[in-house]
Amino acid sequence: MTVQDELQRLGVSPAGRDAVLPFAVEPLDVRGRAVFLGPMLDAILDRHQYPVSVSRLVAEAAALVCLLGTSLKFDGRFTLQTTSDGPVSMLVVDFDTPDGLRACAEFDAEAVAAAEARGEADAVALLGRGHLAMTVDQGANMNRYQGIVALDGHSLEEVAHQYFAQSEQIPTIVRLAVGEMLDRREGDSPRHSWLAGGILAQFLPEAPERMRQPDLHPGDAPEGVEPHELDEDDAWLEARALVGTVRDDELGDPEMTAERLLFRLFHERGVRIFTPQPLTDRCRCSDARIRKMLAGFSADDLDHMTVDGRIEVTCRFCNTRYDYEAGEIVPGGSGTD
């Protein structure tokens, strides 16, 4: 059955941009998701006006978070956050189920400009060394789950592989890429337009013993100790090899779709697709949340925030500005008189 047949069977339109498309390749015991981001990603990046290399990094992280966050089967939140010593000191991408995405980055503008001038502004160089945390928040009165992976010269793809190897222990392959276009409209200066794509495939056979994979590096074990090598399952080797053929220019191609990509990879084996999950540019900030946050500060802290009798707060994710008269905020209260 072709992908087009599956679309007709489901009675749904193609996923298009800004949607995650779940899929399964049952003969290979593989499940996964593919994503292609466009206008929503463009809106997030446009409001920040980041340097080009920072925008590219945020776009790549956003594609990864969409692939991971849409796997949650409950109301909750998935957060990717980096803390490192590179020109981009912090990167945060939040996914709120079922469809909300927001992202921001903190960076040293001079260091980023210098890295771009040297031609050394890829994700590895921008992040430097530190750690990346992936957090699953299941809401109030539920335990949070967090996996932490070292940032030590690896790409986001490689970090994702490490996360699944040590935290989920599920054979997983991820491919990510970002496409950049330069649009010029009559009478306007050129502007960047961004695309990002990704695919995640996981080996989930009924027999768990088939999910064998090479051990993690022994780390600080005595010299000469090597990881115990295991032969991986042939079905997974085939699936991983197929996903490994995905090119950066495919994921960043404005003409490519998730359906076309999956058909190219798996049409000989048969690929089954499911209902696409649309994505939305949505921030969690609100007047009520900001008032509650400010009310948690002491009177002295609020006094230091006050300028000309007013307190201004700007959301670092969506750049929305909240402006209050100092007397509106009551320390330890509800945030209003």
Side-chain angles (χ1 to χ4, degrees):
M1 180 179 290
T2 68
V3 171
Q4 288 76 13
D5 291 335
E6 275 291 274
L7 289 172
Q8 292 180 357
R9 183 187 68 81
L10 289 171
V12 299
S13 301
R17 293 282 162 180
D18 300 330
V20 171
L21 183 64
F23 68 90
V25 186
E26 290 163 355
L28 298 178
D29 292 310
V30 164
R31 286 184 171 267
R33 293 173 294 282
V35 65
F36 283 83
L37 302 178
M40 179 197 68
L41 175 66
D42 224 17
I44 290 173
L45 296 176
D46 190 56
R47 70 169 62 101
H48 289 290
Q49 296 295 302
Y50 292 138
V52 170
S53 60
V54 177
S55 290
R56 181 176 293 276
L57 176 61
V58 173
E60 188 174 347
L64 175 58
V65 168
C66 290
L67 290 172
L68 300 178
T70 49
S71 69
L72 300 183
K73 305 302 182 185
F74 48 81
D75 290 337
R77 181 184 311 152
F78 181 91
T79 301
L80 178 153
Q81 180 171 337
T82 68
T83 304
S84 59
D85 62 3
V88 177
S89 58
M90 188 173 71
L91 171 65
V92 183
V93 185
D94 268 349
F95 181 86
D96 275 322
T97 58
D99 59 4
L101 186 74
R102 64 179 191 167
C104 70
E106 292 184 3
F107 60 96
D108 182 323
E110 291 185 1
V112 169
E116 290 182 340
R118 295 192 305 268
E120 300 174 355
D122 61 4
V124 173
L126 290 180
L127 291 173
R129 296 186 178 275
H131 66 267
L132 179 149
M134 298 189 189
T135 305
V136 177
D137 188 342
Q138 303 179 64
N141 303 317
M142 297 290 288
N143 292 331
R144 294 201 315 166
Y145 170 78
Q146 185 174 77
I148 298 177
V149 183
L151 291 171
D152 52 2
H154 296 293
S155 68
L156 287 181
E157 276 184 14
E158 292 168 327
V159 169
H161 293 153
Q162 290 183 27
Y163 168 78
F164 279 102
Q166 70 185 42
S167 298
E168 302 290 335
Q169 298 181 347
I170 299 173
T172 302
I173 183 170
V174 178
R175 284 286 291 115
L176 304 167
V178 177
E180 176 189 359
M181 298 186 295
L182 197 61
D183 296 334
R184 180 185 288 275
R185 299 176 183 175
E186 187 175 353
D188 293 334
S189 58
R191 67 177 295 274
H192 287 281
S193 180
W194 295 97
L195 304 170
I199 182 170
L200 176 149
Q202 295 184 304
F203 185 49
L204 296 166
E206 290 187 8
E209 61 270 16
R210 292 178 60 201
M211 295 171 61
R212 57 187 183 270
Q213 52 187 329
D215 287 350
L216 296 172
H217 191 276
D220 294 331
E223 185 176 352
V225 175
E226 296 293 333
H228 179 57
E229 298 292 337
L230 291 172
D231 292 331
E232 294 180 273
D233 192 276
D234 288 344
W236 174 237
L237 288 174
E238 179 180 344
R240 192 175 64 187
L242 289 171
V243 175
T245 68
V246 176
R247 306 185 309 273
D248 287 359
D249 63 329
E250 286 183 291
L251 294 176
D253 183 352
E255 301 301 320
M256 180 58 73
T257 66
E259 292 85 2
R260 285 178 57 194
L261 179 64
L262 293 174
F263 183 77
R264 179 183 81 72
L265 295 176
F266 300 117
H267 68 279
E268 291 186 358
R269 284 294 194 170
V271 57
R272 183 181 181 192
I273 62 172
F274 302 93
T275 304
Q277 173 60 64
L279 302 166
T280 303
D281 168 20
R282 187 174 71 242
C283 191
R284 293 199 304 272
C285 75
S286 67
D287 176 71
R289 285 177 178 266
I290 299 300
R291 287 177 179 271
K292 182 177 180 180
M293 179 269 294
L294 290 174
F297 287 99
S298 68
D300 187 56
D301 287 334
L302 291 174
D303 185 60
H304 282 85
M305 297 179 195
T306 303
V307 178
D308 296 330
R310 308 197 69 82
I311 298 175
E312 291 185 3
V313 177
T314 300
C315 176
R316 64 179 179 174
F317 286 97
C318 67
N319 283 347
T320 299
R321 191 179 75 174
Y322 297 87
D323 185 7
Y324 306 102
E325 291 186 8
E328 292 183 67
I329 309 299
V330 179
S334 63
T336 58
D337 290 334

